[in-house]
Amino acid sequence: MTVKHLSVDYNKVNERGTFSPGDILSGKVTVVTSKEIKVQCFLVKAKGKVKVTWSERVGQEIVVHCNKKKYFYFEHIILQDKNKGDGSEIIGPGRNVYPFTFVIPNTDMPSTYEGKWGKVTYSLRTRLTQSIWLVHKTKIEFPFLTKAEFPFASKSDMIIIELKEQQYATRISFYGSQKVTMNVTSEKVGVKQGEAIGVSVEVLNESTRTVTPKFYLCEKQTFAAQSKRIVHTNDTLFATGDAVPAEISRTMTKVLSIPPQLAPTFFNCGMMKLEYRIRVTLDGVPLARDPEIKLPLVILLGSPKPHEQKPKRSIWFRKLPG
């Protein structure tokens, strides 16, 4: 083959190597040939898009649900023959480098993300057409970050305040005449990637059984296509609390560290959204379904920072009356 190498590369605009709305996306296309070749068309494209697809069985048939949307699409013609198909443009032998520049639209677009049944991608593609039977292609994806500080709701002072507030929930479960009460408190609603958040649980065990709290980080992905929706959830156990014996009350705090690579919460995509929850369950309660409490958690884009509050030790030994 005369075309020995074809590649497309971009220039980084920051230390992270990410791009955002309004940034200049520049780079180069490199082609190496063993001899002079004729070209019908040689171009580079920049594209941002979202696509979701999944299938389900309806009776005896498999129904595929699919939807996609382009956020932007640009083409830069490097070489193109004057008369369509005559191959009048020439690329000389050896290494040939062609620069390009695009401006990413300054509009609200979701960050790069890949979920169970859909993904948001931003890419550069190049295509070198020598003839209808001889086409060379290559592609590279570049990471994209939204500029929206809160890509899940309109920015307002009330939202900012709510993200910093403590949240609290209570669940009481009965087994016959026996009762187990669980109170769960988290330090705040919003936390940045790489940060940590303290989650406290108080268990008042008035039953005759030993119960054990477990702490989970829950991820919820929602996809939409053709008026249909599908949800994928994933629970990650991040801590197991101390066992609470019968007729004992105990309070404990666990620290949940948010992985810096975990994707932030987002709602600024019509076909998919990403949410998180803190879920606390009680193992050992003799019910068909273990009692649980879910508290919303908003993960924000940010650099890793050490958690300032030190984890508390478990507190117990309070005998319940009766």
PDB file of all heavy atoms in Angstrom, residues 171 173-175 282 284-291:
ATOM      1  N   ARG A 171     -36.068   6.150  59.593  1.00  0.00           N
ATOM      2  CA  ARG A 171     -36.855   4.994  59.177  1.00  0.00           C
ATOM      3  C   ARG A 171     -37.114   4.132  60.405  1.00  0.00           C
ATOM      4  O   ARG A 171     -36.185   3.785  61.137  1.00  0.00           O
ATOM      5  CB  ARG A 171     -36.097   4.188  58.115  1.00  0.00           C
ATOM      6  CG  ARG A 171     -36.776   2.895  57.683  1.00  0.00           C
ATOM      7  CD  ARG A 171     -38.002   3.154  56.827  1.00  0.00           C
ATOM      8  NE  ARG A 171     -38.655   1.916  56.454  1.00  0.00           N
ATOM      9  CZ  ARG A 171     -38.422   1.248  55.327  1.00  0.00           C
ATOM     10  NH1 ARG A 171     -37.535   1.717  54.468  1.00  0.00           N
ATOM     11  NH2 ARG A 171     -39.093   0.156  55.056  1.00  0.00           N
ATOM     12  N   SER A 173     -38.802   0.474  61.596  1.00  0.00           N
ATOM     13  CA  SER A 173     -39.272  -0.825  61.126  1.00  0.00           C
ATOM     14  C   SER A 173     -39.817  -1.622  62.301  1.00  0.00           C
ATOM     15  O   SER A 173     -39.209  -1.649  63.383  1.00  0.00           O
ATOM     16  CB  SER A 173     -38.129  -1.593  60.460  1.00  0.00           C
ATOM     17  OG  SER A 173     -37.651  -0.874  59.331  1.00  0.00           O
ATOM     18  N   PHE A 174     -40.965  -2.276  62.091  1.00  0.00           N
ATOM     19  CA  PHE A 174     -41.602  -3.056  63.147  1.00  0.00           C
ATOM     20  C   PHE A 174     -41.548  -4.543  62.821  1.00  0.00           C
ATOM     21  O   PHE A 174     -41.670  -4.950  61.665  1.00  0.00           O
ATOM     22  CB  PHE A 174     -43.065  -2.632  63.314  1.00  0.00           C
ATOM     23  CG  PHE A 174     -43.232  -1.264  63.914  1.00  0.00           C
ATOM     24  CD1 PHE A 174     -43.342  -0.144  63.095  1.00  0.00           C
ATOM     25  CD2 PHE A 174     -43.263  -1.091  65.283  1.00  0.00           C
ATOM     26  CE1 PHE A 174     -43.496   1.112  63.631  1.00  0.00           C
ATOM     27  CE2 PHE A 174     -43.422   0.172  65.839  1.00  0.00           C
ATOM     28  CZ  PHE A 174     -43.540   1.276  65.013  1.00  0.00           C
ATOM     29  N   TYR A 175     -41.315  -5.342  63.853  1.00  0.00           N
ATOM     30  CA  TYR A 175     -41.386  -6.790  63.738  1.00  0.00           C
ATOM     31  C   TYR A 175     -42.207  -7.271  64.922  1.00  0.00           C
ATOM     32  O   TYR A 175     -41.706  -7.405  66.045  1.00  0.00           O
ATOM     33  CB  TYR A 175     -39.990  -7.409  63.758  1.00  0.00           C
ATOM     34  CG  TYR A 175     -39.994  -8.910  63.769  1.00  0.00           C
ATOM     35  CD1 TYR A 175     -40.519  -9.622  62.700  1.00  0.00           C
ATOM     36  CD2 TYR A 175     -39.473  -9.608  64.855  1.00  0.00           C
ATOM     37  CE1 TYR A 175     -40.531 -11.000  62.700  1.00  0.00           C
ATOM     38  CE2 TYR A 175     -39.484 -11.001  64.873  1.00  0.00           C
ATOM     39  CZ  TYR A 175     -40.010 -11.691  63.798  1.00  0.00           C
ATOM     40  OH  TYR A 175     -40.026 -13.055  63.798  1.00  0.00           O
ATOM     41  N   LEU A 282     -30.059  -1.899  56.883  1.00  0.00           N
ATOM     42  CA  LEU A 282     -29.871  -2.642  58.127  1.00  0.00           C
ATOM     43  C   LEU A 282     -29.972  -4.125  57.839  1.00  0.00           C
ATOM     44  O   LEU A 282     -31.023  -4.630  57.439  1.00  0.00           O
ATOM     45  CB  LEU A 282     -30.926  -2.252  59.161  1.00  0.00           C
ATOM     46  CG  LEU A 282     -30.672  -1.014  60.015  1.00  0.00           C
ATOM     47  CD1 LEU A 282     -31.794  -0.858  61.025  1.00  0.00           C
ATOM     48  CD2 LEU A 282     -29.325  -1.099  60.726  1.00  0.00           C
ATOM     49  N   GLY A 284     -30.075  -7.999  59.102  1.00  0.00           N
ATOM     50  CA  GLY A 284     -30.444  -8.733  60.304  1.00  0.00           C
ATOM     51  C   GLY A 284     -31.863  -8.506  60.746  1.00  0.00           C
ATOM     52  O   GLY A 284     -32.359  -9.207  61.636  1.00  0.00           O
ATOM     53  N   VAL A 285     -32.546  -7.508  60.160  1.00  0.00           N
ATOM     54  CA  VAL A 285     -33.940  -7.266  60.529  1.00  0.00           C
ATOM     55  C   VAL A 285     -34.806  -8.335  59.865  1.00  0.00           C
ATOM     56  O   VAL A 285     -34.719  -8.531  58.656  1.00  0.00           O
ATOM     57  CB  VAL A 285     -34.386  -5.856  60.094  1.00  0.00           C
ATOM     58  CG1 VAL A 285     -35.862  -5.640  60.413  1.00  0.00           C
ATOM     59  CG2 VAL A 285     -33.533  -4.808  60.798  1.00  0.00           C
ATOM     60  N   PRO A 286     -35.631  -9.042  60.600  1.00  0.00           N
ATOM     61  CA  PRO A 286     -36.418 -10.151  60.042  1.00  0.00           C
ATOM     62  C   PRO A 286     -37.615  -9.661  59.231  1.00  0.00           C
ATOM     63  O   PRO A 286     -38.768  -9.837  59.618  1.00  0.00           O
ATOM     64  CB  PRO A 286     -36.859 -10.922  61.287  1.00  0.00           C
ATOM     65  CG  PRO A 286     -36.930  -9.874  62.345  1.00  0.00           C
ATOM     66  CD  PRO A 286     -35.824  -8.902  62.058  1.00  0.00           C
ATOM     67  N   LEU A 287     -37.341  -9.013  58.134  1.00  0.00           N
ATOM     68  CA  LEU A 287     -38.395  -8.542  57.239  1.00  0.00           C
ATOM     69  C   LEU A 287     -38.120  -9.096  55.847  1.00  0.00           C
ATOM     70  O   LEU A 287     -37.005  -9.488  55.518  1.00  0.00           O
ATOM     71  CB  LEU A 287     -38.426  -7.020  57.195  1.00  0.00           C
ATOM     72  CG  LEU A 287     -38.729  -6.290  58.517  1.00  0.00           C
ATOM     73  CD1 LEU A 287     -38.562  -4.806  58.332  1.00  0.00           C
ATOM     74  CD2 LEU A 287     -40.145  -6.601  58.973  1.00  0.00           C
ATOM     75  N   ALA A 288     -39.149  -9.106  54.999  1.00  0.00           N
ATOM     76  CA  ALA A 288     -38.963  -9.585  53.631  1.00  0.00           C
ATOM     77  C   ALA A 288     -37.959  -8.704  52.889  1.00  0.00           C
ATOM     78  O   ALA A 288     -37.228  -9.169  52.021  1.00  0.00           O
ATOM     79  CB  ALA A 288     -40.303  -9.592  52.901  1.00  0.00           C
ATOM     80  N   ARG A 289     -37.911  -7.437  53.252  1.00  0.00           N
ATOM     81  CA  ARG A 289     -36.977  -6.511  52.631  1.00  0.00           C
ATOM     82  C   ARG A 289     -36.299  -5.696  53.723  1.00  0.00           C
ATOM     83  O   ARG A 289     -36.962  -5.093  54.562  1.00  0.00           O
ATOM     84  CB  ARG A 289     -37.721  -5.584  51.665  1.00  0.00           C
ATOM     85  CG  ARG A 289     -36.809  -4.715  50.843  1.00  0.00           C
ATOM     86  CD  ARG A 289     -37.631  -3.932  49.830  1.00  0.00           C
ATOM     87  NE  ARG A 289     -36.781  -3.105  48.978  1.00  0.00           N
ATOM     88  CZ  ARG A 289     -37.237  -2.332  48.010  1.00  0.00           C
ATOM     89  NH1 ARG A 289     -38.539  -2.273  47.783  1.00  0.00           N
ATOM     90  NH2 ARG A 289     -36.426  -1.605  47.279  1.00  0.00           N
ATOM     91  N   ASP A 290     -34.974  -5.686  53.708  1.00  0.00           N
ATOM     92  CA  ASP A 290     -34.252  -4.955  54.747  1.00  0.00           C
ATOM     93  C   ASP A 290     -34.577  -3.472  54.672  1.00  0.00           C
ATOM     94  O   ASP A 290     -34.629  -2.896  53.586  1.00  0.00           O
ATOM     95  CB  ASP A 290     -32.740  -5.144  54.581  1.00  0.00           C
ATOM     96  CG  ASP A 290     -32.302  -6.548  54.948  1.00  0.00           C
ATOM     97  OD1 ASP A 290     -33.034  -7.191  55.718  1.00  0.00           O
ATOM     98  OD2 ASP A 290     -31.248  -6.987  54.461  1.00  0.00           O
ATOM     99  N   PRO A 291     -34.796  -2.832  55.820  1.00  0.00           N
ATOM    100  CA  PRO A 291     -35.095  -1.395  55.810  1.00  0.00           C
ATOM    101  C   PRO A 291     -33.905  -0.597  55.283  1.00  0.00           C
ATOM    102  O   PRO A 291     -32.748  -0.957  55.508  1.00  0.00           O
ATOM    103  CB  PRO A 291     -35.367  -1.077  57.278  1.00  0.00           C
ATOM    104  CG  PRO A 291     -34.676  -2.154  58.040  1.00  0.00           C
ATOM    105  CD  PRO A 291     -34.755  -3.377  57.175  1.00  0.00           C
TER     106      PRO A 291
END
